[in-house]
Amino acid sequence: MASFKPTKIPVYPKLGEKVTQDTLYWKNYKAPVQIKEFGAVTNIDISPVAPHNYAVTAFTRIHIYGPFSQEPVKTFTRFKDTAYCGRFRSDGQLLVAGCEDSVVRLFDVGGKVALRMFKGHTKAVHVTDFTSDRYQILTGSDDYTCRLWDIPNATELTTYQEHTDYIRCGVTSKLNRDLFFTGSYDHTLKLFDARVDKCVMTMDHGQPVESLLLYPSEGLLVSAGGRHVKVWDLLKGGQPLVWLRNHHKTVTCLCLSSSGQRLLSASLDRHVKVYNTTNYKVVHNFDYAASILSLALAPDDESIMVGMTNGILSVKHRKSPEGSKEVQQQRRRPSYRVFVKGKNYTPKQDDYLVSKPVKQHLAKYDKQLKKFNVSKALDTALETWTRHRKPEITVAVIKELDRRGTLKNALAGRDEQGVSRLLHFFIGNLVNPRFAPVLVTAAEMILDIYQSVIGQSPVVDRQLLRLQDLLEREIDYQQDLLEVLGMLDTMFATCLPRKEVPCSGISRSNGLTQEEASSSRPQLQAT
């Protein structure tokens, strides 16, 4: 008796994402370290000096973590209400932060008590930053004003009242101490010059502005607000250069890689997008468990820090190639050689080879096929995981049933739920060129079997209409492609060089031979 042969599942080319250098680079991180904070993590700032500790602002505290520590090395708790925007100075010695109580506090990283307290705002201060000369502080508040403060004298220098809504982001120039940018919920970005005490450039983002990023060359400014990210050319008077629309919810923060060639944006849709700054196309994507409020990259992209609304700080460290080599060297020599001893032994001519019978493990659908339960075999192949993750298995079972001549029996006798499941699978895979030859035959059989009951189930009727629309669109696509193919053939034919094929005995005059051509010419005689 011949043994049962399992269904052969064809191997199709994978349609996954293309593996690029960016994919390899941004996937080369370890599993994330998750640290629970006391509230939503609204800001992360990395110290510009070694060892590059980073300050995490969450609820009423600011924690300073080491590059690889999971416990804070320093904590600032001198806030009466929610703290905002803890930022390091360029020498890493001072840290400034705003608060919901409208007071701006300046801390020494080595101490605990605030060195200075700047009072003047009337509402929450969400924006703080140091100017490039290290002696002034920029602040922006919900009272629609931004102010410059003098650190040595603890006094207010200038107040700017040009925004008409909350100021939620700002950045200072690292090349000129008098220039700084602010972004507001009035949809505008403004460039201020402290030498003239007024705004010198205004740009309209079109949405409430949540974050600003200034390129190191300071020729380009990036703004995030709503679902959009915009790049502005400052050297052309603030003209919009690029408009990025890759997020589904509000973009909350921006970041630049250490090389300056990759731009990162994070959003409430739980995604971090990585853009190529040459063409501003998305080259990679990170997924997180909750909405993202803050993002930071360590120097040389060694770590990615992400703060979320659920109070989780996620830190990913880059894999070190030296560490992996050391782990491999520490591993013991494989001890399984004992178990495979003699596997490569070749028998001699006089040896009698006794082969051990290998037990055949059949899949669920093959077990049903072996018992000739064709309907149950098809039901097994239409299980949720199989039809979504491995549709080639379902198609292979349908093809095997068609080969046996039992496909019509397997499709018949189904209730509304069974027919709906079949039609759902056909709608998702019928126009796939890998599966179309098999599924078209099965779809024709379903229409022949159940044409008498059309109109009795609204669910099945809607799916049949969807299938009809899908097929009509696919036919239109195929016709358009054939027209394009005809155009391409014409273009290729005109591009080919023309060669004359010489034929002996035939002249150019209407294809006649030389004798016929001479006889056909009229003979003129002189009279």
Side-chain angles (χ1 to χ4, degrees):
M1 182 177 178
S3 60
F4 177 81
K5 294 182 179 179
T7 305
K8 185 177 180 181
I9 309 298
V11 179
Y12 296 100
K14 291 185 178 180
L15 302 177
E17 62 177 5
K18 185 179 180 181
V19 178
T20 62
Q21 292 297 325
D22 284 287
T23 305
L24 298 176
Y25 182 82
W26 293 106
K27 280 191 174 182
N28 191 27
Y29 285 94
K30 301 177 184 177
V33 177
Q34 295 188 345
I35 303 171
K36 179 63 178 175
E37 293 289 343
F38 290 92
V41 181
T42 56
N43 190 77
I44 303 172
D45 190 59
I46 299 177
S47 174
V49 297
H52 302 294
N53 296 337
Y54 55 96
V56 177
T57 307
F59 195 40
T60 59
R61 303 187 180 191
I62 296 179
H63 293 304
I64 297 180
Y65 292 90
F68 299 99
S69 65
Q70 298 185 25
E71 295 294 333
V73 298
K74 192 75 177 176
T75 302
F76 299 103
T77 59
R78 302 286 180 169
F79 296 95
K80 297 180 180 179
D81 209 331
T82 305
Y84 298 111
C85 198
R87 293 262 182 104
F88 284 103
R89 197 166 71 171
S90 58
D91 58 359
Q93 299 297 320
L94 297 180
L95 184 139
V96 65
C99 185
E100 187 72 28
D101 62 2
S102 75
V103 179
V104 180
R105 292 171 174 82
L106 180 68
F107 297 93
D108 183 0
V109 174
K112 288 188 177 181
V113 183
L115 297 179
R116 297 280 191 275
M117 296 178 66
F118 304 95
K119 299 181 180 180
H121 286 290
T122 58
K123 290 187 178 180
V125 180
H126 286 264
V127 180
T128 59
D129 200 1
F130 291 94
T131 57
S132 59
D133 63 355
R134 303 182 183 179
Y135 297 116
Q136 295 178 7
I137 293 175
L138 166 69
T139 59
S141 170
D142 285 353
D143 59 8
Y144 309 165
T145 67
C146 57
R147 307 178 187 226
L148 282 177
W149 308 83
D150 183 64
I151 296 177
N153 300 321
T155 57
E156 179 184 325
L157 297 176
T158 316
T159 301
Y160 302 92
Q161 299 180 344
E162 300 199 24
H163 283 291
T164 59
D165 208 332
Y166 300 156
I167 300 174
R168 290 298 173 90
C169 56
V171 61
T172 58
S173 169
K174 299 299 183 285
L175 303 179
N176 190 327
R177 69 171 189 173
D178 297 314
L179 299 179
F180 60 91
F181 299 84
T182 58
S184 169
Y185 277 9
D186 61 6
H187 302 185
T188 62
L189 323 169
K190 291 185 181 292
L191 168 62
F192 292 92
D193 190 342
R195 293 166 293 191
V196 296
D197 294 337
K198 66 177 182 179
C199 169
V200 295
M201 186 185 297
T202 301
M203 293 155 279
D204 186 7
H205 182 82
Q207 297 285 339
V209 185
E210 300 283 352
S211 180
L212 291 178
L213 175 67
L214 192 60
Y215 271 63
S217 64
E218 301 194 358
L220 298 176
L221 178 70
V222 187
S223 62
R227 297 183 293 112
H228 306 144
V229 176
K230 291 187 178 182
V231 183
W232 308 86
D233 191 344
L234 300 177
L235 302 179
K236 293 184 178 180
Q239 292 184 4
L241 185 64
V242 181
W243 189 0
L244 306 175
R245 290 166 283 190
N246 298 97
H247 287 283
H248 303 294
K249 292 185 179 180
T250 302
V251 184
T252 54
C253 46
L254 300 167
C255 185
L256 203 63
S257 67
S258 57
S259 63
Q261 298 179 358
R262 297 294 180 267
L263 173 67
L264 284 77
S265 65
S267 167
L268 295 179
D269 61 7
R270 303 182 293 110
H271 294 293
V272 175
K273 306 283 185 183
V274 183
Y275 305 90
N276 186 340
T277 54
T278 304
N279 51 19
Y280 289 98
K281 291 184 178 179
V282 177
V283 295
H284 194 68
N285 179 63
F286 292 99
D287 297 331
Y288 286 89
S291 299
I292 302 170
L293 293 178
S294 52
L295 169 69
L297 266 178
D300 298 326
D301 303 336
E302 287 296 323
S303 304
I304 299 178
M305 299 86 167
V306 169
M308 292 173 271
T309 54
N310 59 358
I312 296 294
L313 173 66
S314 175
V315 183
K316 291 182 180 181
H317 298 291
R318 185 169 292 281
K319 297 177 182 177
S320 56
E322 297 178 357
S324 60
K325 289 181 181 178
E326 291 177 1
V327 171
Q328 290 178 1
Q329 290 175 359
Q330 291 175 1
R331 288 180 182 171
R332 232 172 33 169
R333 291 287 181 181
S335 59
Y336 59 84
R337 292 182 179 177
V338 179
F339 302 100
V340 297
K341 187 177 181 181
K343 286 286 185 180
N344 297 327
Y345 177 77
T346 55
K348 298 178 181 178
Q349 186 176 3
D350 299 334
D351 290 344
Y352 180 76
L353 181 63
V354 179
S355 60
K356 184 180 179 180
V358 180
K359 187 177 181 180
Q360 190 178 34
H361 296 279
L362 297 177
K364 292 181 180 180
Y365 50 86
D366 280 330
K367 291 179 181 178
Q368 299 296 338
L369 287 174
K370 189 175 182 180
K371 298 176 183 178
F372 300 100
N373 297 329
V374 291
S375 295
K376 291 183 178 180
L378 185 56
D379 291 338
T380 306
L382 283 171
E383 290 179 353
T384 305
W385 187 91
T386 306
R387 72 172 187 263
H388 286 298
R389 298 293 183 88
K390 298 284 186 180
E392 60 269 15
I393 294 179
T394 308
V395 175
V397 172
I398 294 175
K399 185 177 181 180
E400 176 64 19
L401 292 172
D402 188 28
R403 187 189 67 83
R404 295 185 176 197
T406 56
L407 179 58
K408 199 166 187 177
N409 296 335
L411 296 173
R414 295 181 175 271
D415 55 3
E416 179 185 4
Q417 185 178 0
V419 177
S420 177
R421 189 188 306 171
L422 275 170
L423 291 175
H424 182 73
F425 178 75
F426 287 162
I427 290 171
N429 299 276
L430 187 61
V431 297
N432 192 324
R434 302 179 299 170
F435 308 143
V438 179
L439 296 184
V440 166
T441 304
E444 291 176 350
M445 288 186 181
I446 286 182
L447 295 177
D448 292 339
I449 295 171
Y450 296 101
Q451 62 179 352
S452 60
V453 296
I454 292 176
Q456 298 181 9
S457 170
V459 177
V460 175
D461 291 345
R462 283 197 300 268
Q463 288 184 319
L464 287 174
L465 290 175
R466 285 180 58 193
L467 186 62
Q468 181 183 2
D469 295 339
L470 183 69
L471 290 175
E472 289 176 353
R473 288 200 305 270
E474 183 65 19
I475 291 172
D476 293 339
Y477 293 153
Q478 295 289 345
Q479 290 177 349
D480 293 341
L481 288 174
L482 288 175
E483 292 178 1
V484 173
L485 185 60
M487 298 175 189
L488 292 175
D489 289 340
T490 306
M491 293 174 60
F492 293 150
T494 56
C495 293
L496 292 176
R498 296 181 179 179
K499 294 183 179 180
E500 296 183 357
V501 180
C503 296
S504 59
I506 297 179
S507 65
R508 294 177 178 270
S509 56
N510 298 326
L512 301 176
T513 61
Q514 293 181 358
E515 297 178 356
E516 294 174 348
S518 59
S519 61
S520 62
R521 294 193 189 101
Q523 301 292 330
L524 299 178
Q525 296 180 359
T527 55

